[in-house]
Amino acid sequence: DDLHQKGVEVWIISGGLFEILLEVGIKLHIPAQRIQGVRLLWNQDGSFQSLNPKDPFSISKYDGAKTCASLWSGPKVMVGDGMTDYEVYAQGLTDYFIAYTEHVSRPAVLKKGCPEAQDIQTLSSMIKDFIKK
C-alpha cells in the first residue's frame, strides 16, 4: 500500500502460474495488466490442457519480462530470491536488483554482490532509496 500511495507502479513478474498470481495481485491491489506469469491452456470442459507454448513466460522469466519491460516506469527495481530474478536485472531489464532473503537465501544469488533485504522493513527502505535516485 505504501508503494501504491507513493505512485510506484508495482508489477508481479513470475515463473509461477498466472491464475494463482492474479489472486495474489488482487489482494495486493495490483491491476491484472501488471501481473505476468505462465499462462495455461484449458480444454473446453475446463480441464488442464498444457502450458501455453506461445507464452514467453513458459520459456523463462527473462523471456517473459522482455515482452513487458518497455511498459515499466523507472527507476526499475527487481526484487526476488532466485537466479531467474537476478537474470532479469543482469540482462539490463531493470536498474536495480534486491535479493529478498527473509524466507529463503540462495548463496549463488548473494555471491553476485547484490543488495540483500532480510525482512520486509529493510526491503521497503531499500526500494524507497532506489526510487528516490
Side-chain angles (χ1 to χ4, degrees):
D1 285 338
D2 189 41
L3 292 173
H4 291 310
Q5 290 172 6
K6 290 184 179 349
V8 174
E9 284 186 10
V10 178
W11 286 68
I12 296 176
I13 304 297
S14 177
L17 300 178
F18 174 76
E19 287 85 348
I20 296 169
L21 299 170
L22 186 59
E23 293 301 314
V24 172
I26 289 169
K27 291 185 185 299
L28 297 174
H29 309 289
I30 298 171
Q33 65 268 24
R34 287 195 251 151
I35 301 169
Q36 300 294 320
V38 177
R39 308 266 178 165
L40 303 176
L41 295 177
W42 301 94
N43 294 312
Q44 286 185 346
D45 67 1
S47 62
F48 171 72
Q49 183 181 61
S50 69
L51 297 179
N52 182 344
K54 295 180 181 176
D55 177 14
F57 281 94
S58 71
I59 298 168
S60 76
K61 189 179 294 180
Y62 171 70
D63 285 331
K66 283 192 303 188
T67 66
C68 56
S70 65
L71 303 173
W72 303 340
S73 60
K76 302 169 204 164
V77 181
M78 182 72 169
V79 176
D81 64 11
M83 285 303 289
T84 61
D85 304 304
Y86 177 79
E87 192 64 24
V88 171
Y89 161 74
Q91 293 295 326
L93 296 183
T94 64
D95 303 309
Y96 305 100
F97 174 74
I98 301 170
Y100 183 61
T101 60
E102 183 171 9
H103 303 290
V104 64
S105 179
R106 303 186 198 284
V109 175
L110 295 176
K111 284 182 185 176
K112 298 293 183 180
C114 50
E116 176 186 4
Q118 295 180 346
D119 55 60
I120 197 69
Q121 292 81 16
T122 303
L123 177 62
S124 178
S125 177
M126 292 172 88
I127 290 172
K128 288 175 189 172
D129 286 346
F130 284 140
I131 62 175
K132 286 180 192 175
K133 295 180 181 179

